Amino acid sequence: MKKRFKLYSIGETSKLKNLSIKALRYYHKEKILIPAYINESTGYRYYSPEQFFHIDIIKTGRQLNVSIEEMQKIFSSGNTEELIYFLEQKKKDIVAQISQLNLAKNKIDILKKKIDKSFNIMNDDDFKVTYFQERYLITTPSTKGTESSDLLDYSTLECLMENYKIKSIYESGTLYYIDETGRPIPTFVFELINKEDYLKNKDLFSIIPAGNYLTLSYTNKSRTEKMLQLKNFILLKKLYVIHCLELDLFTDIFDVNACSWQLQVYIKEYN
């Protein structure tokens, strides 16, 4: 005598597999999931326990945006090897998507951290001496003073970063050297980079040495006044200034006219 296995009604299958009755009817209509048994007199559909695995495949496929046509091909062939190959390909797609999503998440985290840091810097606008560890940067010569200079400089810098496959950490600005009269000369536009990117092409990138930096934050409206205060402070303290970085801050992303910066002045000694 042939052993009979328990069959589950469409309602029971719907509850057990968390798939609507409407969806089960649709997959039957599309010849993707044909019930194991259909009562001829009532038309009721019944499903076998083995088909529960088929339902899992269908649900997973739909979550991955597998088309109905692809589903029909998989289930009409009834070939396990083809199914395994299909699942392996989808697994590769998932891994690639996860990688892209992680990259996007990391960019969001870095950008948010930069914005939070910018607000914290602007909330403390007093002179302060801060010790910075050694930092690494990619540079391009500054064209400040020429028409559309900022746009040109940052466009060049962005192209360089893309060529060398460098991940942005949203730390950019202008590097100034101080001439014999104490006047700051814009020399390079820069972007700070991770140490791992620096180590890949040491000869192409630069190092900002560790040391004490006199820091000051300001906006485009207060820049002239703050610079004058800084000059007087340096003269009063008899500081030996080597170079300085003007770091772009992100305090108002949408107002292109509202600029803010932090100046980091590298000083040889500070008592």
Side-chain angles (χ1 to χ4, degrees):
M1 179 188 242
K2 188 176 180 181
K3 185 177 180 181
R4 296 185 63 187
F5 293 95
K6 176 175 173 57
L7 296 176
Y8 295 85
S9 69
I10 192 170
E12 291 173 323
T13 302
S14 173
K15 289 178 181 177
L16 287 168
K17 299 306 296 176
N18 193 27
L19 187 66
S20 70
I21 291 174
K22 182 179 179 181
L24 287 167
R25 288 173 178 158
Y26 174 73
Y27 292 132
H28 179 196
K29 176 188 170 186
E30 296 296 331
K31 297 182 172 56
I32 294 172
L33 183 66
I34 299 171
Y37 170 71
I38 301 175
N39 188 302
E40 292 182 4
S41 59
T42 63
Y44 290 168
R45 299 169 175 86
Y46 294 88
Y47 297 84
S48 68
E50 290 80 10
Q51 289 183 298
F52 288 178
F53 180 64
H54 298 170
I55 292 173
D56 289 337
I57 294 172
I58 292 168
K59 288 171 68 176
T60 301
R62 297 305 287 156
Q63 288 174 342
L64 298 173
N65 295 319
V66 175
S67 68
I68 292 300
E69 290 75 16
E70 285 180 295
M71 288 288 185
Q72 288 171 331
K73 185 178 178 181
I74 292 166
F75 283 92
S76 64
S77 71
N79 188 308
T80 301
E81 288 185 1
E82 285 186 17
L83 173 62
I84 291 171
Y85 176 78
F86 175 80
L87 293 176
E88 283 296 328
Q89 292 304 116
K90 286 302 171 184
K91 180 182 174 182
K92 290 178 182 177
D93 291 344
I94 292 170
V95 170
Q97 288 174 23
I98 290 173
S99 177
Q100 289 300 315
L101 289 171
N102 281 331
L103 286 174
K105 177 184 175 297
N106 290 338
K107 283 187 178 180
I108 291 170
D109 289 341
I110 292 169
L111 184 56
K112 183 179 182 303
K113 184 178 178 181
K114 172 64 178 179
I115 293 171
D116 290 342
K117 180 181 176 182
S118 295
F119 275 106
N120 290 334
I121 289 172
M122 287 304 298
N123 287 335
D124 184 6
D125 60 355
D126 290 332
F127 293 112
K128 183 186 293 184
V129 174
T130 305
Y131 181 83
F132 287 96
Q133 298 286 350
E134 183 176 82
R135 290 174 287 176
Y136 314 95
L137 66 168
I138 180 172
T139 63
T140 187
S142 174
T143 57
K144 278 188 180 294
T146 63
E147 189 175 356
S148 303
S149 61
D150 286 345
L151 181 61
L152 177 63
D153 291 343
Y154 284 110
S155 176
T156 304
L157 198 59
E158 193 171 310
C159 288
L160 283 172
M161 293 183 68
E162 188 174 333
N163 287 341
Y164 293 117
K165 296 183 172 22
I166 296 172
K167 298 172 242 175
S168 175
I169 57 174
Y170 299 102
E171 296 276 356
S172 59
T174 304
L175 182 66
Y176 294 81
Y177 281 93
I178 311 301
D179 68 11
E180 60 276 4
T181 67
R183 187 167 62 99
I185 307 297
T187 311
F188 295 103
V189 171
F190 72 86
E191 173 117 15
L192 296 179
I193 61 176
N194 291 316
K195 187 174 183 179
E196 60 186 86
D197 287 323
Y198 165 76
L199 292 174
K200 291 174 187 174
N201 293 282
K202 283 186 187 180
D203 297 335
L204 299 172
F205 306 140
S206 305
I207 294 177
I208 293 291
N212 287 322
Y213 287 76
L214 181 63
T215 61
L216 174 68
S217 59
Y218 47 82
T219 66
N220 50 339
K221 292 180 180 179
S222 63
R223 191 170 193 252
T224 303
E225 177 191 352
K226 291 288 186 179
M227 285 297 187
L228 181 59
Q229 291 177 9
L230 177 65
K231 182 179 179 180
N232 292 335
F233 184 85
I234 290 172
L235 290 173
L236 179 65
K237 296 290 184 178
K238 298 180 180 179
L239 302 177
Y240 175 50
V241 177
I242 301 173
H243 60 247
C244 56
L245 294 80
E246 189 175 56
L247 197 68
D248 301 328
L249 300 180
F250 294 179
T251 52
D252 195 333
I253 304 296
F254 301 104
D255 186 352
V256 293
N257 296 314
C259 303
S260 55
W261 302 271
Q262 182 190 49
L263 194 68
Q264 300 175 2
V265 182
Y266 183 35
I267 49 182
K268 191 171 183 181
E269 294 178 0
Y270 183 79
N271 297 318

